[in-house]
Amino acid sequence: MGIVLLGPPGSGKGTQGARLSERLGVRHLSTGELLRAEVDAGTDRGRRVAGYLDRGELVPDDVILAALRPALAEARAAGGYVLDGFPRTRAQAERLPADDLAVQLDLPDDVARERLAGRDEGRSDDTDPDVIDRRLRVYHADAGALLALYRDRGRLVTVDAARPPDEVEAAIDAAVAAAD
Ligand code: AMP
C-alpha cells in the first residue's frame, strides 16, 4: 500500500502522516524529516542541502531520490508507506507506483501562514515570513500539475484540512477506505 500526502506547508502532512501510518500499520516517511536529520548529523548530504532548506527551496531531485530510496525500499518490503513531503513535483511522482493513492490536504494560504507562524518545532524555515512565502510559492508552482496527475489516474482524494486534527483524521480515514 502506498499513500502520498499532498498539501502546502502547514496543512498537517506530518501529524496526519504519523497517525495514518500507525492506523494502517505501515511506515511513515517524511522527506523533510529525513533531510533535517542529515543536516543535524552533519553528513555530506546534510551539508549539501542545508541552504535549500533554509531558503525554502526544493533540493535537487537526484539528492532527494538518493536520500529516500533506501527508506522507500525498506517500507515497501515491510508492507507499505505513507509519504509526507514527497512527491513535490510531477517528475518525482513519476518515480512512484501509478496506483499509489494521493490524499490532498486542502488549505488556504492565509490559514497556512497563521499556522506556520504559530508553530514552534524549532524549524528555522517556519519562522521567517519571507521563507514561509517562498515555501508557499514553491508549493503552488508544482501543485496543479501534481494534483492533475493523480486526478487523471483516478487516484486523488481531497480533504478539507482547515479543521481540527481529529476531524481531518476522520475525513482521511473515510476517504482512504472509500478509495480502496
Ligand atoms: P517539509 O518538512 O516537507 O516542509 O520539507 C522541508 C524542506 O525540505 C523543503 O522546504 C525542501 O527544502 C526540502 N524537501 C523536502 N521534501 C522535498 C522533496 N520531495 N523535494 C525537494 N525538496 C524537498
Side-chain angles (χ1 to χ4, degrees):
M1 160 177 305
I3 293 180
V4 304
L5 299 180
L6 307 179
S11 60
K13 298 189 297 294
T15 304
Q16 297 298 339
R19 294 186 185 193
L20 181 62
S21 61
E22 198 177 317
R23 281 197 306 286
L24 296 174
V26 299
R27 301 287 172 85
H28 174 213
L29 299 177
S30 158
T31 46
E33 267 173 33
L34 275 176
L35 296 176
R36 283 189 290 279
E38 298 229 22
V39 172
D40 290 347
T43 64
D44 285 347
R45 187 182 289 133
R47 278 195 291 277
R48 196 171 160 203
V49 302
Y52 292 94
L53 270 71
D54 283 345
R55 293 188 298 272
E57 292 169 4
L58 295 184
V59 311
D61 275 357
D62 61 324
V63 179
I64 192 79
L65 283 165
L68 184 59
R69 202 171 285 123
L72 202 53
E74 204 185 292
R76 272 203 194 106
Y81 51 79
V82 174
L83 261 175
D84 126 37
F86 187 99
R88 291 284 227 276
T89 63
R90 207 173 159 113
Q92 291 184 2
E94 277 157 3
R95 310 301 288 251
L96 294 171
D99 62 351
D100 277 4
L101 178 69
V103 177
Q104 178 193 8
L105 299 178
D106 193 27
L107 191 74
D109 280 4
D110 54 343
V111 183
R113 271 195 202 88
E114 266 167 41
R115 283 193 185 171
L116 291 170
R119 183 149 103 171
D120 185 13
E121 292 169 1
R123 283 179 58 173
S124 57
D125 62 345
D126 275 352
T127 44
D128 182 333
D130 291 339
V131 175
I132 290 175
D133 276 344
R134 186 170 308 119
R135 289 167 66 205
L136 287 167
R137 275 201 305 278
V138 165
Y139 172 74
H140 288 294
D142 288 302
L146 190 52
L147 294 168
L149 177 72
Y150 284 99
R151 191 179 301 116
D152 291 348
R153 290 174 175 168
R155 299 298 287 158
L156 177 71
V157 294
T158 298
V159 164
D160 172 8
R163 294 179 289 174
D166 289 350
E167 285 179 37
V168 177
E169 181 181 346
I172 293 175
D173 268 352
V176 168
D180 267 356

